[in-house]
Amino acid sequence: MRAQHQVTRRQFLRAAGLTALGASLAACAAPPAAPAASEGGVASPTEAPVTTGGETVTLNFVCDTINEGHQKVRDEWAKAFTEKNPNIIVNHQPVPGSDYNTKIQTLFAAGTPPDVYRYLQEVTPIVTVAEKNLHLELDPFIAKDKYDTSDFRPSALALYKWNGKTYALPRDYGHQNLFLNLDLLSKEGLTPPTADWTDTGFKFETFLDLAQKLTKKEGDRTVQWGFLVNRGWRPWASWVYNNGATVVNKNDQGIATEISLTDPNAVEAMQFLQDLMYKHGVAPRPDIESEMGGFELFASGRVGMMINNPSSVNQYRTITAFKWDVATLPLGKAETRGTGGGGTGWASAAGTKYPDQAWEFLKHISSTEAELDEVGVGATTPSRISVVESKEFLDTSKGPANIAAFAQAQEYVVRDPVHVRWPEVFQRVVVSNMDTLWSGKNTAQEVADAIKAEGDKLFVA
Amino acid sequence: MAVTSPPLPSPSVTTGRSRRHRLRWFQHSIVHVLLICGTILMLIPLAWMISTSLKPVGDVYLFPPKWIPDPIQFQNYVEAVNTIPFLRYFTNTAFVTIMVIVGKTLSVTLVAFAFARLQWWGRDVLFVVMLSALMLPPHITLIPQFVLFKQLGWIDTFLPLIVPDFFGGPFLTFLTRQFFLTIPRDLDDAARIDGCSSFGVYWRIILPLSKPVIIAVIILVFNNTWNEFLHALIYLQSQANFTLSLGLRMFQGEASTSWHLLMAASLLSMLPVLLLFFIAQRYFIQGIVFTGVKA
């Protein structure tokens, strides 16, 4: 007798579909992947293997994408470290740069901070790190291993210390420089400004004269600008520093106490920047710059000078249409120059389950060899003096010819204000008010007064 | 035999017709010229993308810009897919997208059916509550969701990107419900008289009549999931699990962007979206214009 329960085509397809769906969902739980392998030079770890008591440990190493070369270098660091320490797997997680803060903040807020990550002290002030106990304190490890920190530039190391405790190792130490279109200068018969940061001859007035000579008009339309105002925080603050003023006043501990932009020298520097766009007409206004892009305008050969940091040098190296170089920043009323900067560090979260292993990896990626690896792929200003003075970093073959100025400028770095509420003051008060300076709506005095009135309240609160 | 010739149109009729004909031709020409201008305008970014993807790196910023690259560098495409594990990211994205399409289409149509065709207590109130969920910015639930998925051990898996979509979504449920409302109720009644259950009405009557809206849902879900970035950024950690939207951002560095490679990789990644749209655009437009359905 034939079986009564015959499976129809429809029933079969339904069952097969549901099975496939279930199997697919089960497959979603992909196992953690090993770090991607790649070619290229890599730091050779010289440390002895770290013992983990036989247990295999996975360190999450989170870093923003600096460029494709840096990602490969970090993959190689992870691979080399695991080869040396087979029980420690380093899971390198590159995060797109513009979304890095979102990722890091989510990881910390959810209680799953990375074991090792690139710490941005301008986003999370060091005082916040110390007060909220966010990072692993490194001093016990430094003492235990007698780890030599003397090669790091002292001011770079100081960025990560608070109340005598160290919360990160310096990765880089950047600043602002003047980038020049040499062809435009040469066409006008102009001598490029000095690249020597000790030379005090290059003044605001000399700069304005250069910018005016480089600006070209066809009728009412400007077809070439002498300068491009970089409206980024550190670039504009550098003008304030070079005019002998500061952005904030500090107490003995170095904590910001109040806004000091109402100082006449600060106001003068800010007004100078606005005048470059609206009075002298030697720099494109923000609407033109936003439409065409800052670097893009320079790279298209329509801007003579702009301020940028050495991390962007790889981008300049793609320019083939004209010769370019770097110089110092113009000096106003200050006796010596100041350039807004700082840098980033390598840190481990306090909540890491594997502090010993994280420390070993921190040493691995902060070594001289590791910094040289990063020099090899560009976009860094090393924090180790031996590296920033090395022939590899000072190699002029890829440009700029005055690359030594990058090393010298580290002596003139002015760090960002330190205060738990500085990121809030900056976002809520400084940025919004400075926009009215850039748009020409308010004068520098009005902007400085507004920033002081609103910012001081937040500092006090 | 006298031959009667057909009456000739009077000169005034002929002139009227030819004037109308000319007028219609003129109107069509204007419409076509406008449409061609609009098309060119819309295609400029795509053309710029293709041009940049084939340029040597040094020519990307040239002014005045060069539309036709010289030399044409097809090598950029090879470099782009080798710089990131493109195939791996493509496979991951395709897998997540297919799963989300299956989950979302099933759940959205089922919920929309309940809202549109069934009578039950509190239905309209719940519908308003569901719509109010549209106002909730996704960032508000980001950290609670992350903590939840962490507790479930789902971090660095595709599950957080897929499973929530098996529970519908307010906008698409609304869209589908509106379409379902336009299908005559007589069909449900007839099916029920023939012994069909509620699920039977959904499966045998409503779904087969709703191809346009289902295809519209599929295209919208496909497009959103293929390009989804925020959740992939938060939940995926290992490079081997990355999706294309994460992979493409790898060309954007801290201070520089490899535009030529980014454009090459972006073009490759948008091909499936374009392909799907071209194949299903007729249904897609029908589904969106839900008031004009042929039921």
Side-chain angles (χ1 to χ4, degrees):
Chain A
M1 212 168 103
R2 283 184 71 183
Q4 291 294 311
H5 298 290
Q6 212 173 23
V7 179
T8 65
R9 188 171 61 94
R10 187 168 289 184
Q11 283 169 329
F12 172 78
L13 287 174
R14 194 180 299 150
L18 286 172
T19 311
L21 192 66
S24 305
L25 277 176
C28 293
S38 60
E39 301 298 321
V42 63
S44 310
T46 51
E47 309 88 27
V50 189
T51 53
T52 60
E55 178 198 6
T56 298
V57 162
T58 299
L59 292 179
N60 284 323
F61 171 38
V62 183
C63 190
D64 52 338
T65 51
I66 297 170
N67 64 33
E68 300 97 81
H70 280 269
Q71 287 177 58
K72 286 185 180 169
V73 160
R74 295 195 299 258
D75 280 340
E76 288 292 334
W77 288 346
K79 194 175 148 198
F81 188 74
T82 302
E83 276 169 12
K84 189 77 185 170
N85 305 282
N87 289 339
I88 308 176
I89 294 168
V90 177
N91 183 15
H92 170 218
Q93 300 167 22
V95 180
S98 52
D99 304 283
Y100 183 62
N101 296 332
T102 310
K103 175 98 178 186
I104 291 294
Q105 283 163 2
T106 308
L107 291 176
F108 269 96
T112 55
D115 296 297
V116 175
Y117 81 111
R118 186 183 183 212
Y119 164 56
L120 310 180
Q121 41 95 25
E122 68 269 29
V123 176
T124 316
I126 189 67
V127 59
T128 309
V129 166
E131 283 185 6
K132 297 196 172 176
N133 192 28
L134 297 179
H135 286 183
L136 190 67
E137 191 196 322
L138 300 180
D139 301 283
F141 297 95
I142 292 172
K144 185 187 73 177
D145 287 1
K146 296 188 176 62
Y147 182 69
D148 182 11
T149 58
S150 64
D151 191 31
F152 292 116
R153 191 170 285 282
S155 48
L157 197 58
L159 292 173
Y160 310 106
K161 283 176 177 274
W162 196 251
N163 285 339
K165 292 177 179 173
T166 312
Y167 294 98
L169 294 178
R171 171 193 168 266
D172 60 301
Y173 196 55
H175 40 69
Q176 311 305 314
N177 297 263
L178 194 64
F179 285 70
L180 311 165
N181 181 327
L182 292 181
D183 285 7
L184 291 186
L185 284 161
S186 153
K187 206 167 128 192
E188 298 302 319
L190 300 168
T191 311
T194 179
D196 179 1
W197 283 71
T198 59
D199 181 341
T200 54
F202 182 40
K203 300 283 194 183
F204 279 16
E205 300 78 42
T206 339
F207 164 82
L208 178 60
D209 184 48
L210 273 181
Q212 283 171 327
K213 285 176 177 158
L214 286 168
T215 301
K216 298 286 162 207
K217 291 197 171 192
E218 280 177 7
D220 286 343
R221 203 166 64 93
T222 308
V223 291
Q224 179 181 304
W225 289 274
F227 181 62
L228 184 137
V229 177
N230 185 334
R231 288 171 285 132
W233 143 249
R234 286 174 179 167
W236 73 252
S238 298
W239 290 90
V240 173
Y241 306 146
N242 281 310
N243 210 35
T246 56
V247 175
V248 293
N249 287 330
K250 298 181 277 191
N251 65 14
D252 294 343
Q253 214 189 346
I255 294 184
T257 52
E258 60 174 346
I259 297 286
S260 58
L261 283 174
T262 44
D263 176 329
N265 288 351
V267 172
E268 188 182 46
M270 289 158 67
Q271 191 59 53
F272 182 75
L273 283 176
Q274 192 187 53
D275 289 348
L276 291 175
M277 294 187 274
Y278 295 92
K279 186 176 165 189
H280 305 299
V282 297
R285 296 177 183 189
D287 51 337
I288 300 171
E289 188 220 312
S290 304
E291 196 182 306
M292 300 182 183
F295 170 77
E296 287 76 8
L297 262 180
F298 182 85
S300 67
R302 285 178 289 169
V303 166
M305 302 177 281
M306 73 177 289
I307 289 181
N308 218 332
N309 62 62
S311 297
S312 58
V313 78
N314 272 15
Q315 212 172 10
Y316 289 84
R317 285 173 178 162
T318 64
I319 298 173
T320 52
F322 59 86
K323 285 188 193 135
W324 61 276
D325 203 349
V326 293
T328 60
L329 302 181
L331 192 60
K333 289 181 176 162
E335 285 178 11
T336 56
R337 290 190 167 81
T339 175
T344 61
W346 296 121
S348 175
T352 179
K353 287 184 197 162
Y354 313 111
D356 291 328
Q357 291 82 357
W359 164 245
E360 290 302 326
F361 189 63
L362 278 177
K363 283 195 293 180
H364 181 72
I365 61 177
S366 303
S367 65
T368 305
E369 292 82 0
E371 287 205 358
L372 283 169
D373 288 339
E374 294 207 274
V375 167
V377 288
T380 184
T381 324
S383 59
R384 282 183 177 271
I385 298 167
S386 64
V387 180
V388 89
E389 290 176 353
S390 67
K391 64 178 185 341
E392 288 87 350
F393 183 72
L394 298 178
D395 175 17
T396 56
S397 61
K398 293 183 200 164
N402 283 321
I403 196 165
F406 287 160
Q408 197 190 8
Q410 288 192 327
E411 304 278 353
Y412 298 86
V413 167
V414 179
R415 72 184 290 184
D416 296 339
V418 179
H419 192 283
V420 173
R421 302 194 77 173
W422 171 247
E424 190 184 350
V425 171
F426 178 70
Q427 284 301 337
R428 278 178 51 187
V429 179
V430 178
V431 171
S432 57
N433 281 296
M434 285 302 287
D435 281 346
T436 65
L437 181 81
W438 306 131
S439 67
K441 186 180 165 197
N442 291 333
T443 63
Q445 186 66 59
E446 288 165 339
V447 170
D449 289 343
I451 293 176
K452 180 157 180 65
E454 296 167 38
D456 284 357
K457 279 186 210 157
L458 287 173
F459 278 142
V460 173
Chain B
M1 201 171 104
V3 177
T4 52
S5 56
L8 287 169
S10 68
S12 64
V13 172
T14 316
T15 317
R17 249 186 227 158
S18 99
R19 194 182 299 141
R20 272 203 302 277
H21 180 74
R22 275 206 302 273
L23 190 67
R24 201 177 302 136
W25 183 87
F26 182 67
Q27 283 170 336
H28 281 190
S29 302
I30 289 189
V31 169
H32 276 86
V33 166
L34 285 175
L35 284 175
I36 288 169
C37 289
T39 308
I40 291 172
L41 205 65
M42 300 303 282
L43 284 177
I44 285 176
L46 188 67
W48 184 252
M49 211 173 158
I50 295 169
S51 167
T52 306
S53 74
L54 294 168
K55 281 180 182 172
V57 63
D59 288 1
V60 171
Y61 303 111
L62 281 187
F63 184 84
K66 274 189 349 193
W67 278 92
I68 298 172
D70 181 25
I72 294 177
Q73 289 222 149
F74 288 106
Q75 180 63 22
N76 288 348
Y77 284 83
V78 179
E79 202 181 323
V81 297
N82 286 330
T83 303
I84 57 171
F86 189 86
L87 195 62
R88 179 76 189 231
Y89 294 171
F90 190 94
T91 315
N92 291 345
T93 313
F95 176 74
V96 170
T97 306
I98 290 168
M99 296 306 293
V100 168
I101 286 174
V102 171
K104 201 124 192 172
T105 312
L106 282 176
S107 57
V108 155
T109 50
L110 203 57
V111 176
F113 174 76
F115 278 128
R117 316 296 289 193
L118 303 181
Q119 292 292 335
W120 42 282
W121 187 83
R123 183 188 70 170
D124 295 337
V125 175
L126 212 58
F127 184 66
V128 173
V129 170
M130 186 201 73
L131 284 186
S132 64
L134 275 174
M135 313 297 166
L136 203 64
H139 299 84
I140 301 283
T141 54
L142 199 64
I143 290 174
Q145 268 193 351
F146 186 91
V147 173
L148 174 72
F149 292 133
K150 169 86 177 68
Q151 301 291 338
L152 292 169
W154 287 4
I155 302 302
D156 204 21
T157 72
F158 298 135
L159 289 168
L161 307 183
I162 294 171
V163 174
D165 289 295
F166 275 76
F167 296 92
F171 172 69
L172 291 177
T173 305
F174 170 74
L175 185 80
T176 315
R177 172 190 176 266
Q178 299 308 101
F179 188 94
F180 286 175
L181 284 176
T182 63
I183 300 173
R185 281 198 173 273
D186 300 351
L187 296 172
D188 300 30
D189 297 339
R192 284 184 198 281
I193 289 166
D194 287 342
C196 222
S197 63
S198 291
F199 186 78
V201 173
Y202 160 74
W203 191 256
R204 291 167 195 272
I205 309 294
I206 301 297
L207 282 192
L209 288 171
S210 307
K211 269 187 207 148
V213 80
I214 291 172
I215 289 173
V217 166
I218 288 174
I219 293 179
L220 287 171
V221 173
F222 184 91
N223 194 32
N224 282 343
T225 314
W226 194 263
N227 298 316
E228 202 285 324
F229 176 75
L230 185 64
H231 289 105
L233 170 78
I234 299 300
Y235 295 118
L236 301 179
Q237 297 185 340
S238 306
Q239 290 184 59
N241 288 343
F242 279 8
T243 54
L244 270 176
S245 59
L246 280 179
L248 289 180
R249 296 285 187 107
M250 299 299 163
F251 292 109
Q252 288 177 289
E254 182 186 42
S256 61
T257 300
S258 305
W259 288 110
H260 58 311
L261 300 183
L262 178 63
M263 292 301 139
S266 299
L267 267 171
L268 291 176
S269 79
M270 68 191 268
L271 282 182
V273 182
L274 286 178
L275 206 65
L276 184 74
F277 185 78
F278 283 134
I279 291 171
Q281 60 170 322
R282 187 163 62 91
Y283 291 105
F284 177 65
I285 291 159
Q286 272 184 4
I288 292 290
V289 188
F290 46 79
T291 47
V293 294
K294 40 178 187 180

